[in-house]
Amino acid sequence: MLVEFEQIEKAQHGDDAAFNQVVAAYRKRILGTIARLIGRPEDVEDVAQEVFLRLYYSLDQLRTPEVFEPWLYRLTVNASYDYLRKQRRRSESRMSDLSEQQVMLADAAAGGKVSNEEQRRKQVKELVDSLLGAVSEQDRILLTLKEVEGLSLKELEKIYSVNENALKVRLFRARQRVLNAFEATRRVAARPSEKKD
């Protein structure tokens, strides 16, 4: 716990100074989690603000301060899901608004500014993002919380409200789907290019 239970209890009873201390203590962790879940740095602050708003208006519903962290993670995951759903609806119209020339110019401008090492990192990130994009949002968020955030099965149990065995099955299946996506990507990359006559 990053704060004492007493701070959380004070915040639950309307102490704004205590609430601000809780937010300050968890802000960096929540921002990092959101950044990894949504993959759009420019929108992380907005989603975090939504998380802390939800926290403010629902803190009185928290049963005991001992379950605060998993509960805050659940708020973070839910706000990230909501953001991703909105983005999916918006992205269809946004991409169609760009001309092919605009996309090519943006790609060329970005390519000219990136060094080899940055380019390699970018390619790895793009591969990971595309693999995670090939699975459901539920799989992606579960894997991010487990593999990137480093949450234990016990912590995930509290967030997802399921037992450890069910989580192990979900994690196994999510990992399998990512591996299948990776294998499909490798098969496509390994195909010889078709020759034109």
Side-chain angles (χ1 to χ4, degrees):
M1 289 285 290
L2 298 178
V3 294
E4 300 293 326
F5 291 151
E6 295 80 38
Q7 284 297 109
I8 295 168
E9 287 171 344
K10 286 179 186 176
Q12 278 185 290
H13 292 98
D15 184 332
D16 287 339
F19 179 79
N20 289 337
Q21 288 175 344
V22 170
V23 169
Y26 283 92
R27 180 175 164 68
K28 188 174 179 181
R29 183 183 288 184
I30 294 306
L31 286 170
T33 300
I34 292 167
R36 286 183 281 279
L37 294 177
I38 70 171
R40 288 180 55 99
E42 64 272 20
D43 293 338
V44 169
E45 287 283 347
D46 292 341
V47 178
Q49 186 173 357
E50 178 64 25
V51 170
F52 290 121
L53 271 172
R54 291 180 186 189
L55 176 65
Y56 184 81
Y57 287 113
S58 62
L59 193 56
D60 59 337
Q61 298 169 20
L62 180 67
R63 293 186 315 274
T64 105
E66 288 81 9
V67 297
F68 175 75
E69 283 189 354
W71 188 70
L72 180 58
Y73 266 111
R74 189 175 310 132
L75 286 177
T76 305
V77 167
N78 289 341
S80 298
Y81 269 138
D82 292 345
Y83 166 85
L84 290 168
R85 276 193 287 276
K86 286 179 194 166
Q87 284 304 113
R88 196 171 45 233
R89 285 194 296 267
R90 283 189 202 141
S91 68
E92 289 137 18
S93 62
R94 237 190 274 147
M95 286 306 284
S96 63
D97 291 343
L98 295 176
S99 72
E100 188 176 332
Q101 185 180 9
Q102 288 171 314
V103 173
M104 288 171 55
L105 285 172
D107 284 346
K113 298 176 185 174
V114 180
S115 72
N116 287 342
E117 180 60 24
E118 288 172 334
Q119 186 68 32
R120 190 189 63 75
R121 271 193 232 122
K122 183 180 172 200
Q123 287 171 340
V124 169
K125 184 183 182 318
E126 285 172 358
L127 174 63
V128 170
D129 288 346
S130 79
L131 291 175
L132 289 175
V135 298
S136 69
E137 288 173 2
Q138 292 84 354
D139 284 351
R140 186 164 55 80
I141 288 177
L142 176 62
L143 287 170
T144 301
L145 291 174
K146 177 69 175 112
E147 308 299 346
V148 179
E149 292 293 316
L151 269 62
S152 69
L153 286 171
K154 289 289 180 200
E155 291 169 315
L156 289 170
E157 238 180 292
K158 292 175 186 171
I159 293 169
Y160 284 93
S161 302
V162 295
N163 69 36
E164 192 172 320
N165 287 335
L167 268 173
K168 285 179 181 176
V169 170
R170 280 189 192 182
L171 278 165
F172 175 78
R173 289 181 179 159
R175 288 176 182 135
Q176 287 303 115
R177 285 188 278 267
V178 169
L179 286 172
N180 290 341
F182 179 66
E183 285 302 318
T185 303
R186 283 183 58 209
R187 280 193 300 273
V188 168
R191 280 189 200 145
S193 58
E194 293 178 17
K195 294 179 181 175
K196 293 184 180 177
D197 293 330

